[in-house]
Amino acid sequence: SMVLLYHFWQYRAYFSVRCCLRKYISLASSRIKHYAFHNALIIAMFMFGITISAIAFIFFYGNSMVDKQNEARNALQYRTFIIHSTNQLNQEILKKLSNLSTSVLDVRVKCEIENPFISHVHEAMTPQPLNIISLVKNNNAIYSYQGKNSFTKEELHQNVAIIPMDYGEVSSILLEGNKFTVVGRTTNFDLNIVFIPLHAFLTNGFNQSSIEVILDSVPSRHTNNKLLRQISELLPDAVISDPFELIQADQSKNLEGIVLSSGVFLISILSFLSLFQYLVSENSYENAVYSIVGADNKSVIIITLFEIIILSSAAAFIACIVHVTCYDLLFVKINIYGSIRYSIYDYLVCFVLEILISFAAVLPFVCYSSTHSLVEMERRFR
């Protein structure tokens, strides 16, 4: 019997809260209809203002996110799997890595050695080791630097190298005791990189410090996990860092961008509060009537807050629809970082934040305005 009594009071409390909410929403909706009929211009200006502010919030939200910026720029680190293996990989394994998917542009093999060009580089570069790099597909659109950027068919089977222009006019270099003929020079990349063919890398016994599988674009979560599984099956003893790890790390830095976007939205909302203040003051008589018939000040404040929740929800929803509809036509062209990808989750976050910020911006004003108007109107009509 005690259990039944407990459930009875629980359900009673639930339906009581539900009825109260329905009553508040109904009263707030009727007041908004009153605004629409008697203050059409003011309510239209207010809705237009907060809708434009909401669209701006969505725009700045996407352009201030670290992960979305890098994704839009197709950043190299967001499309690279880094493999560390204690076993020396042969050409067959490297070829398999390069053919895992059509989205794989190339596989980069790297070896770090002591820099033999210390005397040719700037003082600030002396502590850096020299990175010997080989590309399985002979630089398949990975580097677009000036100068020679790939090897000929004949050079692919020779001890040849492409070195930075800053290393001077040398005809050959020694790398770990192996002589390499210089067949080209490059500019516009780090001074501590030398390129050699994959055949020369393997036959001269260079120990790879890392292997990087580079994709043509930022992979989806499904593609990322599929390739990660394939690489793990091919190299079960390797330690693999996938792009999604870095994306998750950058997503943890997004709070600063959200705070910045929220600040911009809050400032823009404050500029339209005078319009809402006018609408609330128009209902000061109705608020006084509520108070005279028994409603406390808290109830009047809640009704007014429900008004802003309904109005800001409508504005946020319209803003999301406009952004989705006009994205390819307008927003992709004015984005700071190009084609930023918005998900349903992003629009949901923007929708909720816009309502919460609008609520927070209006709350102090509503509390003061409702109390002030009630005291004044009660004094006049009692």
Side-chain angles (χ1 to χ4, degrees):
S1 59
M2 290 298 293
V3 173
L4 290 173
L5 188 61
Y6 169 75
H7 284 297
F8 171 76
W9 284 108
Q10 191 179 39
Y11 283 120
R12 183 180 176 184
Y14 167 75
F15 285 114
S16 176
V17 171
R18 187 175 176 182
C19 289
C20 285
L21 287 176
R22 188 182 298 171
K23 195 180 298 181
Y24 286 134
I25 292 171
S26 177
L27 288 170
S29 299
S30 66
R31 284 165 62 129
I32 292 172
K33 289 178 184 176
H34 175 81
Y35 297 154
F37 282 110
H38 296 88
N39 302 97
L41 180 60
I42 301 298
I43 192 69
M45 290 173 62
F46 178 72
M47 286 300 296
F48 178 78
I50 62 174
T51 301
I52 293 297
S53 299
I55 293 172
F57 174 79
I58 297 172
F59 173 82
F60 285 112
Y61 170 89
N63 282 273
S64 63
M65 300 294 105
V66 177
D67 60 311
K68 292 188 180 298
Q69 294 172 15
N70 287 327
E71 187 177 346
R73 291 196 298 248
N74 202 30
L76 185 65
Q77 67 268 28
Y78 271 26
R79 50 190 176 93
T80 302
F81 290 81
I82 303 174
I83 305 165
H84 295 279
S85 177
T86 54
N87 299 322
Q88 186 70 15
L89 303 188
N90 55 40
Q91 191 164 357
E92 182 183 354
I93 295 294
L94 294 171
K95 286 287 185 183
K96 286 182 180 179
L97 285 173
S98 66
N99 294 322
L100 281 177
S101 168
T102 54
S103 61
V104 177
L105 276 181
D106 213 331
V107 175
R108 182 167 59 189
V109 187
K110 184 189 297 184
C111 173
E112 288 187 358
I113 65 170
E114 186 178 345
N115 198 329
F117 298 100
I118 295 293
S119 59
H120 295 286
V121 299
H122 191 271
E123 228 176 80
M125 300 296 295
T126 53
Q128 295 187 354
L130 182 70
N131 289 314
I132 301 172
I133 289 179
S134 290
L135 296 156
V136 174
K137 294 185 180 180
N138 195 24
N139 189 26
N140 182 28
I142 300 298
Y143 293 99
S144 57
Y145 45 76
Q146 294 180 1
K148 188 176 176 65
N149 52 32
S150 62
F151 298 100
T152 64
K153 287 184 178 180
E154 294 77 18
E155 290 170 348
L156 286 174
H157 300 282
Q158 300 171 2
N159 274 17
V160 291
I162 299 172
I163 66 172
M165 190 75 71
D166 298 54
Y167 285 177
E169 294 293 331
V170 294
S171 58
S172 64
I173 58 173
L174 282 176
L175 300 174
E176 297 288 86
N178 303 300
K179 184 179 179 181
F180 285 80
T181 303
V182 176
V183 294
R185 290 172 176 78
T186 61
T187 58
N188 296 339
F189 72 97
D190 291 338
L191 297 180
N192 63 329
I193 293 178
V194 167
F195 295 95
I196 65 173
L198 179 64
H199 179 267
F201 189 99
L202 297 174
T203 56
N204 286 281
F206 292 109
N207 294 316
Q208 80 270 353
S209 55
S210 66
I211 298 145
E212 299 171 352
V213 179
I214 302 171
L215 310 183
D216 56 1
S217 60
V218 179
S220 65
R221 180 73 178 272
H222 173 73
T223 302
N224 181 94
N225 292 342
K226 181 182 177 182
L227 286 172
L228 183 60
R229 185 173 60 254
Q230 290 175 325
I231 296 171
S232 298
E233 290 172 355
L234 191 61
L235 303 168
D237 298 326
V239 177
I240 307 165
S241 297
D242 62 289
F244 195 73
E245 286 184 29
L246 184 60
I247 293 173
Q248 284 184 310
D250 283 346
Q251 285 174 346
S252 65
K253 306 173 186 175
N254 284 341
L255 181 60
E256 183 180 343
I258 293 175
V259 171
L260 177 63
S261 302
S262 299
V264 172
F265 181 66
L266 178 61
I267 292 170
S268 61
I269 280 291
L270 291 174
S271 64
F272 295 103
L273 273 185
S274 58
L275 296 174
F276 188 72
Q277 181 181 7
Y278 175 81
L279 294 173
V280 171
S281 63
E282 286 290 293
N283 268 343
S284 57
Y285 175 76
E286 186 177 339
N287 291 342
V289 172
Y290 289 158
S291 179
I292 291 170
V293 298
D296 57 7
N297 188 42
K298 183 177 75 171
S299 298
V300 176
I301 291 173
I302 291 174
I303 293 170
T304 309
L305 290 175
F306 265 103
E307 291 178 45
I308 195 64
I309 290 173
I310 293 170
L311 291 172
S312 61
S313 297
F317 180 76
I318 294 169
C320 291
I321 295 299
V322 169
H323 192 270
V324 171
T325 306
C326 302
Y327 186 76
D328 293 330
L329 183 66
L330 173 63
F331 293 102
V332 75
K333 297 176 182 177
I334 63 174
N335 278 336
I336 301 171
Y337 296 103
S339 184
I340 293 171
R341 185 164 59 187
Y342 287 81
S343 64
I344 295 175
Y345 172 79
D346 292 319
Y347 286 111
L348 183 61
V349 169
C350 290
F351 180 82
V352 172
L353 283 175
E354 285 163 1
I355 296 172
L356 292 177
I357 295 168
S358 300
F359 182 88
V362 169
L363 182 59
F365 156 73
V366 169
C367 292
Y368 169 78
S369 180
S370 297
T371 305
H372 180 73
S373 61
L374 281 176
V375 171
E376 185 178 311
M377 294 300 289
E378 284 181 20
R379 189 184 302 117
R380 184 184 304 176
F381 291 102
R382 276 185 171 170

